Amino acid sequence: MEQAVNREGGVSMRTGTLVTERAKSQPPCPIGLGGTCCRACFMGPCRVVEGREERAVGVCGASGASIAAKNFARMVAAGTAAHSDHGREVALLFLATARGEAPGYTLKDRTKLRNLARTLGIAVDGREDEEVALAVGEKLLADFGQQEGEISFIRRAPARRQELWGRLGIVPRGIDREVVEMLHRTSVGVDQDPENILLQAARTALADGWGGSMIATELQDILFGTPEPLRAKVDLGVLREDQVNIIVHGHEPVLPELLVKVAEEREMLALAREKGATGINLAGICCTANEVLMRHGIPIAGTFLQQELALMTGAVEAMVVDVQCVMPSLPTVARCFHTHIFTTSDKAKIPGAEHLPYDHHTALEIAREIVRRAIENFPRRGAVNIPQGSVDLVAGFSHETVNYMLGGRYRFGYRPLNDAIIDGRIRGVVGVVGCNNPRVDAGQVHTALVRELILRNVLVLSTGCGAITAAKAELLVPEAAEQAGGGLREVCEAVGIPPVLHMGSCVDNSRLLIAATAIVHEGGLGEDISQVPAAGCAPEWMSEKAVAIGHYFVASGVPVVFGVNFPTAGSPETTKFLFDDIERLTGGRWLFEREPQAMAEVLIRSLDQKRKALGLAPAYK
Ligand code: NFS
């Protein structure tokens, strides 16, 4: 961005204030890119280059293979920590709600509460919902600090998978314990064996997928409602010139849930009219957007890469951020306009933003203050430039809705999906998930890949910014079935679903684990997740969280393809373990491709191999 004009029409901004420009001016360090730069102590940082004798090991003697494995493992630990700390926050709110200590919050999906309690072995008969919720919340919260045994949701996995994890010694004992042990083992002079490091990384990642992330998803569903398919709008054009625009951005939907309610309060709407607006328009960015979209139909303004652009419209009165994927540049961009940037988590303050700390006892008051401040900001708006156009999407395919949607009301269960896979109308299922990355042709890689997959009869499940990207390309509407191959199209048209199902935010990748397990339990497609024709792909990943997600899928038996670059590429030995050897252990493996067409080929080959191993007929052409 060369210049931006503020509401007084004069102040210019420093060159290079947008993410795409910053990416251009800073090419990645080639050693760090391949994962062999180590800064675990201060004898370095060491930049190890395999094959160059004088640089073959670090000062302590660590090999490139062990450095690459350690860096990869630390990404898994950080990603797991992020998802799990989100899960912890939700668990604490869940308990406070059950105790009646969180004004504004209620337990919305009580059927799911009781079902989940039964899954956890908690008695429900003759007990009040709040009492059941207390037991559920306490049990799941204990999974974070537990030191021995196994975390609760491990027992939801297929029996074969649980046995395999037991044999490999990678069943997570406690969520925090695995993250701490991963950090310990990758500090200077501890674990140097790449395989040993990467198996602990698998245990840590499982503590994310079957732990922290799953806790976040399940408790959010009970608190805020289990998503059901709904139609809404996506892209920057959802911002309204005539209304007060408030953007929610980040990952934890706890405060945004109340903002949705407060923005509908009569006094707030009256105040907005008094200030010259016709209403209050809430919109979302990143995963918080996916959360409030799925449960309330709140429109999505954009992906991770559009957060600065949303401010550039000049039409945003306030952006409310919580944690993760929030660019530190936001206050700088906002300064050129009238926009307030409110940080709300004590874990995430940004210099230049105003901090209004969230606390579940006082959340309702904070939500009211934010909405009021945004409304009062409306008259200060200057020139507005909202890109024209937004498109429709259908979102909200939780595991529960897939359960009945695919069969229609009278054939409840995964049977119809399994049958469609068995008879080849659906070749298999691929989760296309994750971020957008300015290092690639952002957005295009996702959409080209998804188009190719559906054309070849692959049912695509999507979450996170991947889902938003596919939505912007109009692939999340039932009409997109016209672009699908004959078999998938038939299934989609019979049921009235899009060929790409929006399953939520990134913590909701845990829904994909449950769906994969349900496919196994339904029968006919093997006895373990690793036998199901299913795969994962993060074509434009950038976050450590994506590495954690990828690794829990690999540890759960699913092949995962990454785009952009592979974070251990600097070490052929470590990369070989992740790409080949690990498959003999977990049944899953990592793969890398840069171009969407090549990604599609690899994914399809993998689905076809699984079909063949199951003795299924070839899929429809
Ligand atoms: Ni997932 Fe969500 Fe987006 Fe990537 Fe960030 S918002 S948690 S990490 S960038 S998909």
Side-chain angles (χ1 to χ4, degrees):
M1 177 170 54
E2 289 299 326
Q3 200 179 49
V5 180
N6 83 348
R7 72 201 141 81
E8 279 88 29
V11 179
S12 66
M13 227 158 115
R14 274 199 330 271
T15 306
T17 315
L18 293 184
V19 59
T20 36
E21 292 155 325
R22 292 190 298 269
K24 263 189 221 135
S25 65
Q26 304 180 47
C29 156
I31 316 270
L33 192 65
T36 57
C37 166
C38 183
R39 35 169 311 163
C41 79
F42 217 59
M43 293 188 289
C46 295
R47 304 197 303 157
V48 168
V49 182
E50 288 198 346
R52 275 203 24 209
E53 210 178 315
E54 74 286 5
R55 301 261 301 270
V57 292
V59 174
C60 70
S63 67
S66 103
I67 293 171
K70 289 205 262 187
N71 283 328
F72 182 90
R74 285 203 159 202
M75 291 182 96
V76 170
T80 300
H83 288 143
S84 302
D85 218 27
H86 169 174
R88 184 194 332 265
E89 204 61 53
V90 175
L92 290 168
L93 171 65
F94 183 84
L95 277 171
T97 305
R99 292 192 189 109
E101 293 167 1
Y105 296 101
T106 49
L107 301 171
K108 218 163 175 186
D109 189 343
R110 290 165 183 253
T111 309
K112 179 152 184 169
L113 166 68
R114 297 180 98 80
N115 288 340
L116 191 71
R118 284 189 199 99
T119 307
L120 291 167
I122 291 168
V124 295
D125 292 342
R127 293 174 96 182
E128 294 288 322
D129 289 340
E130 278 66 23
E131 200 185 329
V132 174
L134 271 182
V136 167
E138 276 163 10
K139 179 152 182 58
L140 292 178
L141 194 62
D143 279 351
F144 290 94
Q146 186 173 284
Q147 302 304 321
E148 289 174 332
E150 358 188 291
I151 56 171
S152 303
F153 286 145
I154 284 296
R155 74 177 65 144
R156 295 176 105 179
R160 280 260 194 114
R161 187 65 13 199
Q162 293 184 50
E163 282 161 29
L164 183 143
W165 288 333
R167 276 202 306 282
L168 292 173
I170 57 170
V171 178
R173 297 153 293 189
I175 299 165
D176 295 351
R177 175 165 185 190
E178 305 313 344
V179 174
V180 168
E181 186 170 316
M182 195 75 266
L183 292 178
H184 171 203
R185 280 164 66 162
T186 51
S187 63
V188 61
V190 190
D191 202 350
Q192 307 299 339
D193 178 48
E195 178 173 335
N196 207 39
I197 293 166
L198 294 168
L199 282 177
Q200 172 60 19
R203 177 150 61 175
T204 309
L206 290 172
D208 177 352
W210 298 87
S213 280
M214 201 173 277
I215 292 173
T217 296
E218 300 295 57
L219 296 187
Q220 282 174 183
D221 279 358
I222 298 171
L223 274 170
F224 309 137
T226 303
E228 287 179 13
L230 50 74
R231 215 173 241 268
K233 296 268 183 206
V234 61
D235 222 341
L236 289 172
V238 303
L239 296 173
R240 299 277 304 261
E241 193 151 357
D242 57 338
Q243 298 199 349
V244 174
N245 290 305
I246 302 176
I247 290 190
V248 291
H249 171 22
H251 286 76
E252 293 174 2
V254 290
L255 181 60
E257 276 289 324
L258 294 190
L259 288 169
V260 173
K261 281 190 198 167
V262 169
E264 288 168 355
E265 285 178 355
R266 203 177 306 146
E267 307 78 60
M268 292 297 176
L269 291 168
L271 184 61
R273 276 193 295 275
E274 195 182 297
K275 299 290 176 189
T278 63
I280 304 167
N281 180 39
L282 232 59
I285 296 265
C286 282
C287 282
T288 292
N290 285 318
E291 302 278 4
V292 289
L293 160 79
M294 287 192 301
R295 299 194 177 91
H296 304 284
I298 299 296
I300 294 198
T303 63
F304 168 73
L305 281 187
Q306 287 177 292
Q307 54 190 288
E308 293 167 320
L309 296 178
L311 302 183
M312 297 280 293
T313 62
V316 179
E317 275 57 56
M319 184 181 264
V320 190
V321 305
D322 50 85
V323 291
Q324 303 168 22
C325 302
V326 177
M327 288 187 192
S329 60
L330 292 178
T332 315
V333 179
R335 259 203 302 280
C336 293
F337 305 91
H338 69 309
T339 311
H340 291 307
I341 305 287
F342 295 126
T343 51
T344 58
S345 165
D346 285 343
K347 294 171 196 163
K349 294 187 181 181
I350 306 175
E354 187 175 341
H355 191 58
L356 295 174
Y358 163 85
D359 170 317
H360 45 244
H361 299 104
T362 56
L364 201 50
E365 289 151 43
I366 305 250
R368 290 204 174 107
E369 182 174 352
I370 288 170
V371 174
R372 191 182 45 73
R373 294 275 306 276
I375 298 170
E376 283 166 355
N377 204 16
F378 182 76
R380 297 178 60 237
R381 209 191 251 187
V384 161
N385 185 4
I386 302 174
Q388 286 305 302
S390 60
V391 297
D392 275 19
L393 82 160
V394 175
F397 292 90
S398 56
H399 148 72
E400 288 81 350
T401 50
V402 172
N403 212 5
Y404 72 80
M405 277 299 289
L406 278 164
R409 223 165 269 284
Y410 304 104
R411 293 167 69 201
F412 197 84
Y414 274 66
R415 193 69 255 153
L417 174 62
N418 281 32
D419 286 346
I421 295 175
I422 290 168
D423 69 26
R425 276 175 301 157
I426 293 179
R427 186 188 293 265
V429 181
V430 172
V432 181
V433 305
C435 329
N436 289 128
N437 191 322
R439 298 285 179 208
V440 296
D441 192 0
Q444 300 311 315
V445 187
H446 264 288
T447 45
L449 170 64
V450 170
R451 285 212 169 93
E452 183 64 20
L453 289 175
I454 61 171
L455 183 65
R456 294 168 76 179
N457 295 308
V458 175
L459 177 66
V460 173
L461 309 180
S462 66
T463 58
C465 292
I468 303 175
T469 306
K472 290 198 302 175
E474 297 184 78
L475 292 164
L476 264 58
V477 282
E479 298 82 331
E482 288 166 17
Q483 299 175 48
L488 177 62
R489 181 175 178 169
E490 219 175 88
V491 175
C492 290
E493 287 177 349
V495 191
I497 54 168
V500 185
L501 303 182
H502 184 309
M503 296 192 75
S505 64
C506 281
V507 291
D508 291 336
N509 282 314
S510 63
R511 298 190 200 275
L512 273 56
L513 295 175
I514 297 296
T517 305
I519 290 174
V520 171
H521 286 154
E522 191 64 55
L525 290 171
E527 286 173 26
D528 193 357
I529 297 172
S530 55
Q531 291 175 272
V532 177
C537 185
E540 300 182 23
W541 76 282
M542 64 86 200
S543 161
E544 293 163 316
K545 292 177 286 177
V547 184
I549 294 167
H551 211 46
Y552 74 61
F553 275 109
V554 169
S556 300
V558 180
V560 172
V561 180
F562 256 29
V564 190
N565 272 300
F566 201 78
T568 65
S571 164
E573 182 187 333
T574 291
T575 306
K576 179 180 169 297
F577 178 78
L578 291 168
F579 282 26
D580 296 328
D581 306 346
I582 200 168
E583 193 177 21
R584 281 189 287 282
L585 302 173
T586 69
R589 64 189 288 215
W590 284 90
L591 294 138
F592 168 71
E593 287 296 342
R594 198 167 278 126
E595 301 301 328
Q597 192 64 37
M599 286 174 191
E601 295 304 333
V602 164
L603 288 161
I604 284 169
R605 208 176 309 135
S606 163
L607 298 180
D608 286 349
Q609 278 166 3
K610 305 230 165 174
R611 296 186 64 86
K612 201 165 166 211
L614 287 166
L616 303 179
Y620 280 31
K621 285 287 171 235

